[in-house]
Amino acid sequence: MACLLYTGYEEKIRPYIDLIDSLRELGLDKDLPLPSIAVIGDQSSGKSSVLEMLSEVSLPRGTGIVTRCPLELKLKKGEKGLPWEGQLRYRDSSVTLNSPHEVEKEIKIAQEHLAGITGISSELISLQVESSCAPNLTMIDLPGIIRVPIGDQPQDIGSTIKNLINSYIRKEETIILVVIPCNVDIATTEALKMAQEADPKGERTLGVLTKPDLVDYDTEKEILKIINNQMVPLKKGYMLIKCRGQHDLLANTSLASALEKETEFFNKNIHFRPLLDKKMASFQHLSTRLTSELVVQIRKCLPGIHEKIGSKINEITKQFNEMGGTIPEDTKARVHILTSKILNYCDELTNLAMGDYKKKYSSEVKLHHFAREKFAEWYKKLDGAKIKLDEGAMNMVKHHEKHSKGRELPGFTNYRVFEAIIRDQIQELLEPSLEMMNEFSAKVETVCNTLALLHFSGLPVLVNEIQAKIAELCHKMESEAEQMIRTNFKMEGMVFAPDEMYSYRLMKFQSLSQQMGRSSLRNPNLDVQTMVVHLQTYYEIAIDRLIQMVPMVLRYYLLQELSAQMKVELAQLLFHSKDVDALLHEDDDTAAKRRALKVSLDWLTKARTLLMSY
Ligand code: GDP
Ligand code: MG
C-alpha cells in the first residue's frame, strides 16, 4: 500500500495529540472544551471522501444522510511493519477491527444503535486507527448539512444537524475544516456560512476545496481566487484536494492509487501545479498541515486546560467533602466515620457557642452576632427607661393620701405604695424578656439544625436522629432559662438594693434633677413628687440588674449549657446506637451523587497527572 503522508509525523507531536485523546477518553470534553478538528460540509461536498483519503479507511457512503452521529477519527501512525489495527467505541461498546474493510459496516451498526434507522444523534462514535500509513491526527466528522428533509426524515432534521454542528464549531478550541466543492458557487455553501457565523474573523477555519477535476473549462482562475483568499478570506486559508470521483468508485480505484492520481492531476494542470509547490494542494500537504494546526492549537490550549482542570478539581472536592467524603464499607471504619462526624459536629457547636469563629462561618450561623444584636435591642429598650406614673400608680398614691395618711407631713410617702408600684412596673418587663428568650432559642435551634444538615447531609436517618435531639434539648434549655428568668423576676418583687447604693443613687438623681430642672418631677403635690423620685431611683437600679441578667441567662442556658449537653447526648447516641448501619443509611440520590462526584474526581485527577507530565 502506498503511504500518503507522513512527512508530518514527528516524535514530538504525537504526545500532544495523545494527551488530548486521552483527556477526551476520560470524558473531559463534557466539561472542558478540548482542541479538535471538526469537519463540516454540505451534503455531497466530499467530506467522507476527504476523511477517507486522510485515514485510508473506507467510511460509509451513499446518498442521503450517511453520517448521523459525530464520528471521532483518531488516526495514529503505527510502527512500520505492524498490522493495521482499529477500534470502534460508542456508549459501552468496543469493537476490535482487523481490517479497514470492516469499518464501514461497524460504523453503520453503531449509528443505527445510537440514532435509529434514520435519525441523528449527538452521541460520539470513536474510531481509532493505527497504521503505518496513517497521519497523527484526530478529527471529528459531523453529519452533512441538508436543506430540505426528504422521505421519512423528520421535519426538523436540518436544524438538528445544524445544532449538532454548532455545538462543535462554536467552541473556541475547535479548528473548523470546511469542505467546499469547487463546482458550486462558494457563496451558496451553507457550511461556509455556518463557519463564518461561528468564527466571524475566520481565525480558526481552514477551507478545503474538493472536486477540482469537475470545474468547468477555464474556471480554474475563479478557484485560484478563492484559494488566494480573494473571495471569502480565512486566516488559515484554503487548500485544494482531489478525491476519488464517482468514476473511480465504480472502477474500484484504491485509495492508494487515488493518491497517485491526485498528484498526477495537479502536475498536469498548469493553473493548479504552482499550488503543489506552495503546499496548498494535495492530501500530502493537507495532512501535514492539519497535524501541525492541531498541535499548535493544543499547545495554545494547554495552560487553559490545566487551569480549568485545577479549578474543577477544587470545586468537586469541595462538593464531595461537603457530602461527607466517602462512606466506607468496613464496619470498624463506619463506626469511626460516624464517631468523627459526630465529634466534628460537637466541636462546631462548641465553637459557635463560644463565639470562636476559627472557620469562616456565614453570618446566618454566627450565634453571638445574633445574640449581640438582640441584647443591644434589650439594652436600648431598658436603658434610660422611665418609671411610668400611669393612672393606676397615681390613684394608689392619691388613695393612700386620702385614706391612710395620718399625721405625716407632705413628702413622707408610704413604702408599701412605693413597693406596689415598682413591683407592677418591673413585672411588665417579664413578657418582653420571655419573648426575647423564645426568639433566641428558635434561632439556636435553627442554627443547630442547619449545621446538622451540613455535617450529615445525605444521611437522613442520622439527621433525623440529631434534629430530634436538638429539638428536645432546646426545649429543655428553654424551660430552664424561663424558670431562671421567672425566679429573678420574683426576686425583683422583693424590692432590694444595698442602702449605700440606694442613697448614693438617690442623691445623684436629686442633684441631677435640680441641675436640669426636670419639669416632670415638679408635681404640685409633694407626695407625688417625692414618690416619683424614689420610684425612678429604684427603677434604674432594678433595670441595671435586668439589662444584664436576662442576656446572661440566655447565654448560659441556650449557648453554653446547650452545647455542653448536646455533647453528652450525642455521645450517648454513639454508645447506645447498635445500629451504625442504620444511622449511616444514605438516601439513594446522595449515594448516586457521591458516586458520580467520585468518578469525576478520579478522572480529573488522572487528567491532571497526565497534564503534569507535559
Ligand atoms: P459527503 O456527502 O460530503 O460525505 O460527500 P462524499 O464524500 O460522499 O462525496 C460525494 C460525491 O462526490 C461522491 O460521489 C464522491 O465520489 C464525489 N467526490 C468527492 N470528491 C471528489 C473529487 O475531488 N472529485 C470528484 N470527481 N468527485 C468527488
Ligand atoms: Mg458523507
Side-chain angles (χ1 to χ4, degrees), residues 44 46-49 60-62 64 66-67 141 144:
S44 293
K47 239 161 21 76
S48 303
S49 308
R61 276 173 171 277
V66 181
T67 310
D141 182 19

Side-chain angles (χ1 to χ4, degrees), residues 51-81:
L51 290 168
E52 266 182 2
M53 297 285 274
L54 286 171
S55 62
E56 308 209 338
V57 169
S58 293
L59 297 171
R61 276 173 171 277
T63 47
I65 310 170
V66 181
T67 310
R68 295 188 291 114
C69 301
L71 171 71
E72 180 192 41
L73 257 176
K74 284 196 259 182
L75 307 177
K76 288 187 179 204
K77 187 175 175 63
E79 301 259 319
K80 249 205 169 97

Side-chain angles (χ1 to χ4, degrees), residues 505-524:
R505 295 281 277 255
L506 183 69
M507 286 188 288
K508 198 171 145 203
F509 181 73
Q510 280 169 333
S511 74
L512 250 176
S513 303
Q514 269 168 10
Q515 275 171 27
M516 294 170 65
R518 282 191 192 171
S519 58
S520 62
L521 299 178
R522 253 186 266 122
N523 194 298

